[in-house]
Amino acid sequence: MNYENILIAIENSVATITVNRPTKLNALNKDTINDLHKAIKLLTKNAEVRAIVLTGSGEKAFVAGADIAEFSNFSIKEGAELAAEGQEKLFDFIENSKTPVIAAINGFALGGGLELAMACHIRVASENAKMGLPEVSLGLIPGYGGTQRLPQLIGKGRAMEMIMTAEMMTAQDAYRTGLVNHVVPQAELLEYCIGMAHRIIKNSPNAISKAIKAVNANFEEGKDGYKTEIKAFGKCFGTQDFKEGTTAFLEKRKAVFTGK
Ligand code: COA
Protein backbone atom coordinates (compact mmCIF):
# COMPACT_ATOMS: atom_id res chain seq x y z
CA MET A 1 0.00 0.00 0.00
CA ASN A 2 1.25 3.50 -0.86
CA TYR A 3 0.90 6.41 1.51
CA GLU A 4 1.39 10.08 0.74
CA ASN A 5 2.77 11.20 4.09
CA ILE A 6 4.58 8.22 5.55
CA LEU A 7 7.18 5.66 4.48
CA ILE A 8 7.20 2.03 5.59
CA ALA A 9 10.04 -0.47 5.53
CA ILE A 10 9.77 -4.01 6.87
CA GLU A 11 12.90 -6.02 7.60
CA ASN A 12 13.32 -9.16 9.71
CA SER A 13 9.90 -8.79 11.38
CA VAL A 14 10.44 -5.14 12.39
CA ALA A 15 8.53 -2.39 10.58
CA THR A 16 9.88 1.14 10.50
CA ILE A 17 7.34 3.90 9.87
CA THR A 18 8.74 7.31 8.95
CA VAL A 19 6.52 10.38 9.03
CA ASN A 20 7.54 12.04 5.81
CA ARG A 21 6.65 15.75 5.54
CA PRO A 22 10.13 17.18 6.08
CA THR A 23 9.32 20.61 4.66
CA LYS A 24 6.69 21.00 7.42
CA LEU A 25 8.91 19.35 10.03
CA ASN A 26 6.63 16.29 9.77
CA ALA A 27 3.66 18.16 11.29
CA LEU A 28 0.61 15.95 11.73
CA ASN A 29 -2.17 17.01 9.41
CA LYS A 30 -5.38 15.04 9.00
CA ASP A 31 -4.06 13.01 6.06
CA THR A 32 -0.93 12.00 7.97
CA ILE A 33 -3.01 10.87 10.93
CA ASN A 34 -5.18 8.83 8.55
CA ASP A 35 -2.11 7.31 6.87
CA LEU A 36 -0.61 6.39 10.23
CA HIS A 37 -3.89 4.87 11.39
CA LYS A 38 -4.26 2.73 8.28
CA ALA A 39 -0.65 1.65 8.26
CA ILE A 40 -0.53 0.72 11.95
CA LYS A 41 -3.82 -1.16 11.61
CA LEU A 42 -2.43 -3.22 8.75
CA LEU A 43 0.95 -3.79 10.37
CA THR A 44 -0.54 -4.94 13.67
CA LYS A 45 -2.66 -7.49 11.76
CA ASN A 46 0.37 -8.74 9.86
CA ALA A 47 1.77 -11.76 11.73
CA GLU A 48 5.13 -11.22 10.02
CA VAL A 49 5.52 -7.89 11.83
CA ARG A 50 6.41 -8.26 15.50
CA ALA A 51 7.47 -4.72 16.40
CA ILE A 52 7.18 -1.21 14.99
CA VAL A 53 9.66 1.67 15.17
CA LEU A 54 8.18 5.12 14.54
CA THR A 55 10.36 8.04 13.50
CA GLY A 56 10.42 11.28 11.49
CA SER A 57 12.17 12.03 8.22
CA GLY A 58 15.17 14.34 8.05
CA GLU A 59 17.60 15.28 10.79
CA LYS A 60 15.64 18.10 12.32
CA ALA A 61 12.29 16.80 13.52
CA PHE A 62 10.47 13.74 14.76
CA VAL A 63 7.13 15.56 14.51
CA ALA A 64 6.84 19.32 15.19
CA GLY A 65 3.22 19.05 16.30
CA ALA A 66 -0.25 19.05 14.90
CA ASP A 67 -0.46 21.06 11.69
CA ILE A 68 -1.21 24.57 12.96
CA ALA A 69 -2.21 25.83 9.49
CA GLU A 70 -4.95 23.22 9.32
CA PHE A 71 -6.83 24.14 12.51
CA SER A 72 -6.11 27.86 12.87
CA ASN A 73 -9.73 28.88 12.15
CA PHE A 74 -11.59 25.96 13.69
CA SER A 75 -14.73 26.44 15.81
CA ILE A 76 -15.25 25.01 19.33
CA LYS A 77 -17.01 21.99 17.83
CA GLU A 78 -14.33 21.40 15.20
CA GLY A 79 -11.60 21.70 17.83
CA ALA A 80 -13.23 19.09 20.06
CA GLU A 81 -13.76 16.79 17.06
CA LEU A 82 -10.13 17.19 16.01
CA ALA A 83 -8.94 16.03 19.44
CA ALA A 84 -11.51 13.22 19.75
CA GLU A 85 -10.84 11.81 16.30
CA GLY A 86 -7.07 12.05 16.62
CA GLN A 87 -7.05 10.40 20.04
CA GLU A 88 -9.19 7.52 18.85
CA LYS A 89 -7.54 6.98 15.46
CA LEU A 90 -3.92 7.40 16.40
CA PHE A 91 -2.90 8.05 19.98
CA ASP A 92 -5.10 5.58 21.88
CA PHE A 93 -4.80 3.24 18.93
CA ILE A 94 -1.00 3.06 19.26
CA GLU A 95 -1.10 2.83 23.05
CA ASN A 96 -3.45 -0.15 22.87
CA SER A 97 -1.75 -1.81 19.92
CA LYS A 98 -0.88 -5.47 20.51
CA THR A 99 2.37 -4.95 18.66
CA PRO A 100 5.02 -3.01 20.58
CA VAL A 101 5.74 0.45 19.17
CA ILE A 102 9.03 2.25 19.87
CA ALA A 103 9.36 5.99 19.19
CA ALA A 104 12.74 6.95 17.75
CA ILE A 105 12.72 10.69 18.51
CA ASN A 106 15.22 12.09 16.02
CA GLY A 107 14.71 15.84 16.58
CA PHE A 108 11.88 18.18 17.62
CA ALA A 109 8.97 16.35 19.24
CA LEU A 110 6.57 19.16 20.02
CA GLY A 111 2.86 19.27 20.83
CA GLY A 112 1.18 16.46 18.91
CA GLY A 113 4.67 15.14 18.10
CA LEU A 114 5.54 14.59 21.74
CA GLU A 115 2.03 13.27 22.32
CA LEU A 116 2.64 10.77 19.53
CA ALA A 117 5.91 9.68 21.12
CA MET A 118 4.19 9.40 24.52
CA ALA A 119 1.48 7.15 23.05
CA CYS A 120 4.21 4.72 21.97
CA HIS A 121 5.23 1.99 24.42
CA ILE A 122 8.91 3.00 24.60
CA ARG A 123 10.80 6.21 23.70
CA VAL A 124 14.42 6.66 22.68
CA ALA A 125 15.79 10.12 21.77
CA SER A 126 18.76 11.30 19.75
CA GLU A 127 21.15 13.72 21.48
CA ASN A 128 19.81 16.68 19.47
CA ALA A 129 16.14 15.98 20.24
CA LYS A 130 14.04 18.66 21.89
CA MET A 131 10.70 17.89 23.46
CA GLY A 132 7.87 20.09 24.62
CA LEU A 133 4.16 20.79 24.77
CA PRO A 134 4.00 24.42 23.53
CA GLU A 135 0.22 24.54 23.09
CA VAL A 136 -0.46 27.22 25.73
CA SER A 137 1.77 29.55 23.70
CA LEU A 138 -0.84 29.17 20.94
CA GLY A 139 -3.80 29.70 23.26
CA LEU A 140 -4.48 25.97 23.35
CA ILE A 141 -3.90 23.00 25.61
CA PRO A 142 -2.54 19.61 24.50
CA GLY A 143 -5.43 17.73 22.88
CA TYR A 144 -3.94 14.41 21.90
CA GLY A 145 -3.60 13.00 25.41
CA GLY A 146 -0.65 15.15 26.53
CA THR A 147 -2.24 16.35 29.77
CA GLN A 148 -2.74 12.73 30.78
CA ARG A 149 0.33 10.89 29.51
CA LEU A 150 2.96 13.49 30.45
CA PRO A 151 2.14 13.34 34.20
CA GLN A 152 2.09 9.52 33.95
CA LEU A 153 5.63 9.55 32.61
CA ILE A 154 7.34 12.39 34.50
CA GLY A 155 5.03 13.17 37.45
CA LYS A 156 2.38 15.83 37.94
CA GLY A 157 4.61 18.70 39.12
CA ARG A 158 7.09 18.44 36.25
CA ALA A 159 4.25 17.99 33.74
CA MET A 160 2.48 21.10 35.04
CA GLU A 161 5.70 23.11 34.66
CA MET A 162 6.40 21.81 31.17
CA ILE A 163 2.85 22.46 29.98
CA MET A 164 2.50 25.90 31.61
CA THR A 165 5.91 27.28 30.59
CA ALA A 166 5.53 25.79 27.07
CA GLU A 167 9.32 25.34 27.17
CA MET A 168 11.30 22.61 25.47
CA MET A 169 13.29 19.95 27.29
CA THR A 170 16.65 18.68 26.08
CA ALA A 171 17.17 14.97 25.42
CA GLN A 172 19.32 14.71 28.57
CA ASP A 173 16.61 16.30 30.73
CA ALA A 174 14.04 14.03 29.11
CA TYR A 175 16.21 11.07 30.08
CA ARG A 176 16.69 12.37 33.63
CA THR A 177 12.94 12.79 34.13
CA GLY A 178 11.97 9.46 32.58
CA LEU A 179 10.32 10.91 29.49
CA VAL A 180 12.68 8.87 27.32
CA ASN A 181 14.40 5.60 28.20
CA HIS A 182 17.70 6.22 26.39
CA VAL A 183 19.61 8.96 24.56
CA VAL A 184 21.92 7.99 21.70
CA PRO A 185 23.79 9.84 18.93
CA GLN A 186 21.48 10.72 16.06
CA ALA A 187 23.38 8.55 13.55
CA GLU A 188 22.83 5.50 15.77
CA LEU A 189 19.20 6.13 16.73
CA LEU A 190 17.39 3.92 14.24
CA GLU A 191 19.83 1.07 14.57
CA TYR A 192 19.53 1.29 18.37
CA CYS A 193 15.71 1.18 18.26
CA ILE A 194 15.64 -1.65 15.73
CA GLY A 195 18.14 -3.52 17.94
CA MET A 196 15.83 -3.06 20.92
CA ALA A 197 12.90 -4.27 18.80
CA HIS A 198 14.87 -7.45 18.04
CA ARG A 199 15.54 -8.01 21.74
CA ILE A 200 11.79 -7.69 22.35
CA ILE A 201 10.67 -9.98 19.54
CA LYS A 202 12.80 -12.89 20.75
CA ASN A 203 10.03 -13.25 23.33
CA SER A 204 6.45 -14.49 23.03
CA PRO A 205 4.33 -12.07 20.94
CA ASN A 206 1.32 -13.36 22.78
CA ALA A 207 2.78 -12.61 26.19
CA ILE A 208 4.02 -9.19 25.03
CA SER A 209 0.57 -8.10 23.87
CA LYS A 210 -0.95 -9.30 27.17
CA ALA A 211 1.74 -7.41 29.10
CA ILE A 212 0.93 -4.21 27.17
CA LYS A 213 -2.74 -4.65 28.03
CA ALA A 214 -2.05 -5.28 31.72
CA VAL A 215 0.34 -2.32 32.10
CA ASN A 216 -2.11 -0.01 30.30
CA ALA A 217 -4.99 -1.15 32.55
CA ASN A 218 -3.44 0.76 35.46
CA PHE A 219 -4.06 4.01 33.61
CA GLU A 220 -7.57 3.30 32.35
CA GLU A 221 -10.57 4.77 34.10
CA GLY A 222 -12.62 2.15 35.92
CA LYS A 223 -10.19 -0.71 35.29
CA ASP A 224 -8.51 -2.77 37.98
CA GLY A 225 -4.98 -3.37 36.71
CA TYR A 226 -4.37 -6.24 39.14
CA LYS A 227 -7.51 -8.06 37.96
CA THR A 228 -6.56 -7.44 34.32
CA GLU A 229 -3.14 -8.92 35.08
CA ILE A 230 -4.61 -12.01 36.77
CA LYS A 231 -6.93 -12.66 33.81
CA ALA A 232 -4.20 -12.13 31.22
CA PHE A 233 -1.74 -14.26 33.22
CA GLY A 234 -4.26 -17.10 33.29
CA LYS A 235 -4.90 -16.83 29.54
CA CYS A 236 -1.18 -17.29 28.86
CA PHE A 237 -1.49 -20.88 30.14
CA GLY A 238 -3.77 -21.72 27.21
CA THR A 239 -1.29 -20.58 24.55
CA GLN A 240 1.17 -22.51 22.40
CA ASP A 241 3.76 -19.84 23.23
CA PHE A 242 3.56 -20.81 26.92
CA LYS A 243 3.98 -24.53 26.10
CA GLU A 244 6.88 -23.70 23.80
CA GLY A 245 8.55 -21.30 26.25
CA THR A 246 8.43 -23.65 29.22
CA THR A 247 9.30 -26.78 27.16
CA ALA A 248 12.27 -25.02 25.53
CA PHE A 249 13.52 -23.94 28.97
CA LEU A 250 13.31 -27.48 30.34
CA GLU A 251 14.93 -28.90 27.19
CA LYS A 252 17.69 -26.27 27.44
CA ARG A 253 17.06 -24.88 23.97
CA LYS A 254 15.92 -21.57 22.51
CA ALA A 255 12.16 -21.13 22.26
CA VAL A 256 10.59 -20.60 18.85
CA PHE A 257 7.45 -18.57 19.40
CA THR A 258 4.58 -18.40 16.92
CA GLY A 259 2.36 -15.95 18.75
CA LYS A 260 -0.35 -18.58 19.08
N1 COA B 1 2.34 23.02 11.95
C1 COA B 1 2.43 23.47 10.69
N2 COA B 1 3.61 23.79 10.12
C2 COA B 1 4.72 23.67 10.86
C3 COA B 1 4.70 23.21 12.18
C4 COA B 1 3.43 22.86 12.74
N3 COA B 1 3.31 22.38 13.98
N4 COA B 1 5.96 23.20 12.67
C5 COA B 1 6.75 23.65 11.67
N5 COA B 1 6.01 23.91 10.58
C6 COA B 1 6.46 24.42 9.29
C7 COA B 1 6.78 25.92 9.33
O1 COA B 1 5.60 26.68 9.19
C8 COA B 1 7.72 26.03 8.16
O2 COA B 1 6.96 26.01 6.97
P1 COA B 1 7.29 27.08 5.77
O3 COA B 1 8.69 26.77 5.39
O4 COA B 1 6.28 26.71 4.72
O5 COA B 1 7.12 28.42 6.36
C9 COA B 1 8.50 24.74 8.20
O6 COA B 1 7.70 23.82 8.94
C10 COA B 1 9.84 24.84 8.88
O7 COA B 1 9.64 25.38 10.19
P2 COA B 1 10.40 26.69 10.75
O8 COA B 1 9.53 27.28 11.82
O9 COA B 1 10.77 27.58 9.63
O10 COA B 1 11.71 26.03 11.37
P3 COA B 1 12.60 26.61 12.54
O11 COA B 1 13.83 25.79 12.54
O12 COA B 1 12.72 28.08 12.44
O13 COA B 1 11.77 26.29 13.90
C11 COA B 1 10.41 24.96 15.37
C12 COA B 1 11.51 24.97 14.29
C13 COA B 1 10.04 23.51 15.64
C14 COA B 1 10.92 25.60 16.65
C15 COA B 1 9.18 25.74 14.85
O14 COA B 1 8.85 25.24 13.55
C16 COA B 1 7.96 25.66 15.69
O15 COA B 1 7.89 26.28 16.74
N6 COA B 1 6.93 24.87 15.26
C17 COA B 1 5.66 24.79 15.90
C18 COA B 1 5.75 23.91 17.12
C19 COA B 1 4.42 23.89 17.84
O16 COA B 1 3.95 24.86 18.37
N7 COA B 1 3.80 22.71 17.86
C20 COA B 1 2.59 22.47 18.55
C21 COA B 1 1.44 22.55 17.63
S1 COA B 1 -0.06 22.23 18.52
Side-chain angles (χ1 to χ4, degrees):
M1 199 160 181
N2 275 334
Y3 300 95
E4 203 183 319
N5 304 290
I6 61 173
L7 303 169
I8 298 176
I10 303 175
E11 208 180 324
N12 300 325
S13 305
V14 176
T16 303
I17 304 178
T18 306
V19 180
N20 190 32
R21 295 183 76 214
T23 58
K24 295 291 169 193
L25 302 186
N26 306 320
L28 288 180
N29 60 2
K30 211 172 175 183
D31 290 344
T32 308
I33 290 182
N34 282 332
D35 281 358
L36 284 166
H37 173 78
K38 281 187 211 146
I40 293 166
K41 195 170 178 183
L42 279 179
L43 292 171
T44 51
K45 281 188 181 159
N46 180 346
E48 302 295 306
V49 174
R50 298 254 176 113
I52 297 170
V53 174
L54 179 59
T55 194
S57 75
E59 292 183 351
K60 199 166 165 184
F62 171 71
V63 168
D67 193 319
I68 299 169
E70 206 175 58
F71 63 68
S72 57
N73 47 27
F74 270 15
S75 66
I76 293 175
K77 186 167 171 277
E78 286 169 320
E81 280 167 3
L82 179 78
E85 199 182 316
Q87 288 195 18
E88 187 188 331
K89 269 197 174 158
L90 187 58
F91 299 80
D92 296 354
F93 193 67
I94 290 180
E95 184 168 60
N96 295 314
S97 137
K98 288 182 167 189
T99 307
V101 185
I102 302 171
I105 307 171
N106 56 311
F108 288 114
L110 302 175
L114 180 57
E115 290 172 301
L116 182 64
M118 291 194 293
C120 295
H121 303 116
I122 296 170
R123 282 150 297 285
V124 181
S126 58
E127 286 165 343
N128 63 310
K130 289 242 172 85
M131 285 151 264
L133 293 178
E135 284 87 347
V136 296
S137 72
L138 298 166
L140 279 175
I141 65 165
Y144 288 146
T147 63
Q148 307 304 298
R149 292 191 182 101
L150 188 62
Q152 287 167 12
L153 286 163
I154 69 172
K156 186 176 170 185
R158 285 196 182 105
M160 285 285 196
E161 182 181 333
M162 202 167 163
I163 291 168
M164 288 194 274
T165 62
E167 287 168 3
M168 294 184 209
M169 207 185 243
T170 61
Q172 276 308 331
D173 281 345
Y175 172 69
R176 202 174 42 78
T177 55
L179 183 52
V180 302
N181 293 16
H182 306 276
V183 179
V184 299
Q186 192 179 40
E188 295 164 25
L189 179 67
L190 256 195
E191 196 187 331
Y192 186 92
C193 292
I194 292 170
M196 182 191 284
H198 281 290
R199 276 160 37 222
I200 291 172
I201 67 177
K202 282 190 308 201
N203 303 306
S204 154
N206 213 307
I208 285 167
S209 57
K210 287 186 171 59
I212 291 172
K213 195 173 173 185
V215 172
N216 281 345
N218 180 43
F219 302 98
E220 279 172 54
E221 190 75 26
K223 277 227 173 127
D224 182 332
Y226 291 98
K227 283 198 179 132
T228 305
E229 182 184 278
I230 290 167
K231 210 168 154 193
F233 180 80
K235 278 189 181 164
C236 290
F237 287 76
T239 66
Q240 285 178 24
D241 276 3
F242 165 72
K243 300 260 176 309
E244 169 62 11
T246 47
T247 307
F249 177 81
L250 295 171
E251 291 176 355
K252 300 192 189 303
R253 62 170 174 84
K254 259 194 177 167
V256 182
F257 292 114
T258 58
K260 290 187 180 137

